[in-house]
Amino acid sequence: MQTKTMQAGGYEYIPGVMQYSAGVSALPGYRLVRVRFDEVVPLKQGFERIAAHLKAVGRPLTAFCACELRSPGQFTEAGFEEFNRVYTGTLRDWGIMTGSDNPVGRSNVCPEIGAPAEPGFHAFIYTVEDKEAPKTFAIAGSGEAPEGKGNYRDHIVRLGDTSPDALREKAAYVLGEMERRMAHFGGSWNDTTGVQIYSVHDIHPLVATEIGPRGAHRNGMTWHFNRPPVVDLEYEMDCRRIFDETVLPGGNA
């Protein structure tokens, strides 16, 4: 699969499924910037906050290229499809998405403790112009099932099994998918500045058997006690190479 260019936004992306691309990388002359909210901002308000931020920094709406969402709990596959129709509606309104081709990368996970009352934004990523910028990329979240197969359940690695051996296989699959996606941008774990893991299961044995040997731990890892977005998925990751990161007030601020 070849990457596509979102020229109006200043980035290229790995084509994925309707709800998100598999990852984005800034084009030459641009770099990625990540903004995290200190509290989850509800979806509608979050899009408004993002639009205002982009305007304030002199960037078009099309510069919005990736985000990290938080949801109250895991979706059924039908519920996930309905949520994605609402989410992608704004991307269409912003001139980012046409048809089923969605260039925006995304993670969407569910905090096991202190979940928000409704889906919202934890962080977002956009491009800025910079002729001297180093390579930057953001890889979208992936659980232990391939995308675009019609459903997740029939393709989940070790479905329903959360034994240590099954978790090792799930992690190995996801790590491999992260590596495959990074390779589209000429990247590897040696390039990452941030790695995030989403699971409610004990990941400590995986550091020695899967994560560490691949080099994914090079700058440490952020473990979120969260579940992947769809019922029966147990382990998700995303990663990035971004040098500009900011935290803003969230919630209803």
Side-chain angles (χ1 to χ4, degrees):
M1 183 180 293
Q2 299 296 313
T3 60
K4 292 185 176 182
T5 298
M6 175 56 168
Q7 194 67 51
Y11 64 95
E12 61 177 330
Y13 63 97
I14 307 166
V17 289
M18 179 276 291
Q19 54 265 37
Y20 44 79
S21 73
V24 301
S25 179
L27 291 172
Y30 294 87
R31 72 176 189 276
L32 300 185
V33 175
R34 178 176 181 262
V35 176
R36 178 173 65 83
F37 295 114
D38 70 345
E39 293 182 61
V40 175
V41 180
L43 196 68
K44 182 178 183 296
Q45 183 185 358
F47 273 123
E48 293 170 352
R49 292 278 302 275
I50 292 167
H53 181 87
L54 292 174
K55 182 178 180 180
V57 299
R59 295 296 291 148
L61 295 176
T62 50
F64 172 69
C65 61
C67 62
E68 300 165 36
L69 304 181
R70 297 292 185 267
S71 291
Q74 288 184 301
F75 295 88
T76 63
E77 300 219 26
F80 197 46
E81 182 178 348
E82 175 60 27
F83 167 78
N84 286 319
R85 281 198 292 267
V86 174
Y87 165 80
T88 56
T90 298
L91 302 186
R92 297 178 197 280
D93 291 343
W94 284 11
I96 294 173
M97 182 178 174
T98 57
S100 60
D101 187 14
N102 188 346
V104 177
R106 192 182 82 186
S107 298
N108 182 10
V109 291
C110 312
E112 185 75 350
I113 299 171
E118 61 183 292
F121 285 94
H122 170 73
F124 65 95
I125 295 170
Y126 62 95
T127 62
V128 297
E129 295 185 40
D130 183 349
K131 294 181 179 180
E132 306 298 324
K135 174 176 65 180
T136 50
F137 59 75
I139 303 303
S142 174
E144 72 275 21
E147 302 282 3
K149 296 292 186 180
N151 67 65
Y152 290 97
R153 183 178 176 81
D154 291 342
H155 306 280
I156 292 174
V157 174
R158 301 284 291 268
L159 174 65
D161 189 347
T162 57
S163 67
D165 185 61
L167 290 172
R168 182 191 61 76
E169 286 192 33
K170 291 172 185 287
Y173 174 86
V174 175
L175 284 154
E177 181 63 11
M178 294 292 100
E179 291 162 1
R180 185 186 73 83
R181 295 179 181 187
M182 284 190 284
H184 280 281
F185 304 131
S188 69
W189 295 117
N190 287 336
D191 299 302
T192 56
T193 59
V195 172
Q196 301 186 107
I197 298 172
Y198 309 97
S199 183
V200 299
H201 303 287
D202 184 8
I203 69 166
H204 294 96
L206 304 175
V207 177
T209 62
E210 299 298 330
I211 298 167
R214 293 172 183 256
H217 69 309
R218 65 184 295 267
N219 284 321
M221 304 159 296
T222 302
W223 176 19
H224 298 267
F225 195 60
N226 293 2
R227 294 184 184 273
V230 177
V231 172
D232 293 320
L233 290 174
E234 304 288 352
Y235 183 95
E236 182 164 332
M237 294 182 74
D238 60 32
C239 58
R240 63 186 182 273
R241 175 179 173 84
I242 297 179
F243 300 98
D244 301 84
E245 303 205 9
T246 303
V247 181
L248 295 179
N252 295 311

